[in-house]
Amino acid sequence: MEPAALTAHARDSVGWALERGLLVPGTSAREFGSPHGGSWVHLLDTAGLDVRDDDRAGPVDAVIDVFGLMHEEDQRAGLRRRADALTPHGVLVLVFPPLETVVEHGQWNAVRHGHHAYPSTAVAARQLAECGLTVVASVLHPLYGGTRLLAARRDGALPPDAAPVSLPDDVPRAALTVLAESVSAGVTALRTHLQQAAAAGRRVIGYGAASRAVPLLVAAGIGPDLLPAVADASPAKQGRVIPGVGMPVIGPAELVATRPDEVLLFLPDLLDEVRSGLPEVERSGARWLSVEALLPARTG
């Protein structure tokens, strides 16, 4: 099940790239995707690009990486493979959650297994330069609190008068110390909220059995006694349990049937979608609460 926010991000991003002339109808393209979804392939095809799907297709005019590079254990080799897939005048577009967003919003639970790197925008630009690519366009999309799009071309493909792109400064080491310190504050705030709700007789159910919910719940020591279940719209997750803490994953219909007093949302980007899709929650007097609203540590 792909969240509407992720679908909207893909649509916005392709529109931005077409408007900037980074993607050109009639040219070739290839996507390096990720397990998180958000693919641009259908949109690229609709826009008139010739989308190819593997190395056998040869060099292409545009390489799109949608959250894929962070899953590469060897980051340099992964980026080099993407750069090598370009024609001499091609463009590489990277989509990733930059470290400055993680730090600004205290999103320590975004750092998790399966992701091998969280570069800042400045570091990503330097990594591209190592591959002979220069950033020619950049934008920060609001998805996940701030998702960076970087477009880069080979140095030899740039006009002599090309103006440098303004990018944010690198993340200072001191900010990472503050991010680490926010872990204990965050898990304490979550546990205290759920303990107070239990003491007051309020029933709280979670929503969004996402990978980033796991480190948060495990670190806070939250079990079914404080959070009886987590709902999710994905049929593949329903009937399973949250790793490490054991609370069951239920479907949206079962969530509504439990008549909770509060639904704790682990993916804030879903708020508009779930409020629209499950109006029964608020009709019954319950409220939606984003877990980020409970976490006190913001470093930005």
Side-chain angles (χ1 to χ4, degrees):
M1 298 290 291
E2 190 161 286
L6 197 57
T7 302
H9 168 262
R11 185 177 61 248
D12 294 346
S13 299
V14 171
W16 170 80
L18 287 167
E19 183 179 330
R20 296 295 299 266
L22 301 168
L23 299 177
V24 179
T27 60
S28 57
R30 178 182 171 189
E31 180 182 81
F32 287 76
S34 85
H36 301 296
S39 174
W40 294 12
V41 167
H42 174 69
L43 294 166
L44 296 174
D45 185 65
T46 301
L49 281 84
D50 173 19
V51 183
R52 304 174 185 176
D53 59 8
D54 58 33
D55 291 322
R56 293 169 294 179
V60 294
D61 300 306
V63 169
I64 314 299
D65 183 280
V66 183
F67 304 116
L69 183 59
M70 63 196 304
H71 295 88
E72 296 274 3
E73 187 170 354
D74 187 330
Q75 289 285 292
R76 279 188 170 86
L79 186 57
R80 175 63 64 185
R81 190 159 64 93
R82 288 154 174 79
D84 288 346
L86 286 172
T87 59
H89 290 81
V91 62
L92 171 60
V93 180
L94 290 181
V95 182
F96 62 99
L99 182 59
E100 58 264 26
T101 291
V102 173
V103 167
E104 178 184 356
H105 297 290
Q107 295 173 342
W108 60 267
N109 61 316
V111 182
R112 56 198 188 273
H113 296 300
H115 295 173
H116 296 280
Y118 287 80
S120 65
T121 299
V123 166
R126 291 200 294 270
Q127 291 173 326
L128 288 164
E130 289 181 7
C131 294
L133 300 171
T134 298
V135 174
V136 295
S138 173
V139 69
L140 189 68
H141 189 276
L143 181 72
Y144 303 144
T147 294
R148 179 65 63 181
L149 281 76
L150 282 184
R153 295 187 186 275
R154 298 193 188 282
D155 297 339
L158 299 177
D161 58 348
V165 176
S166 178
L167 298 175
D169 294 333
D170 209 347
V171 177
R173 185 175 295 272
L176 300 182
T177 301
V178 176
L179 179 66
E181 292 170 349
S182 73
V183 176
S184 60
V187 298
T188 297
L190 174 60
R191 186 168 183 82
T192 298
H193 176 80
L194 292 175
Q195 287 174 330
Q196 290 175 343
R202 299 197 310 273
R203 183 175 178 83
V204 182
I205 301 294
Y207 193 98
S211 54
R212 71 172 53 199
V214 178
L216 179 59
L217 291 168
V218 170
I222 304 299
D225 56 325
L226 293 177
L227 194 68
V230 175
D232 198 283
S234 173
K237 295 181 180 181
Q238 295 162 16
R240 298 177 180 270
V241 298
I242 302 294
V245 287
M247 73 261 307
V249 179
I250 62 176
E254 192 173 349
L255 165 67
V256 171
T258 63
R259 299 183 64 84
D261 298 292
E262 178 180 289
V263 182
L264 186 61
L265 184 62
F266 289 103
L267 293 169
D269 296 270
L270 293 181
L271 183 57
D272 291 341
E273 180 179 354
V274 293
R275 289 188 69 188
S276 174
L278 296 172
E280 303 92 338
V281 169
E282 289 175 293
R283 283 185 198 144
S284 68
R287 67 165 182 162
W288 292 93
L289 178 66
S290 168
V291 71
E292 288 196 353
L294 299 176
L295 307 184
R298 290 177 61 89
T299 60

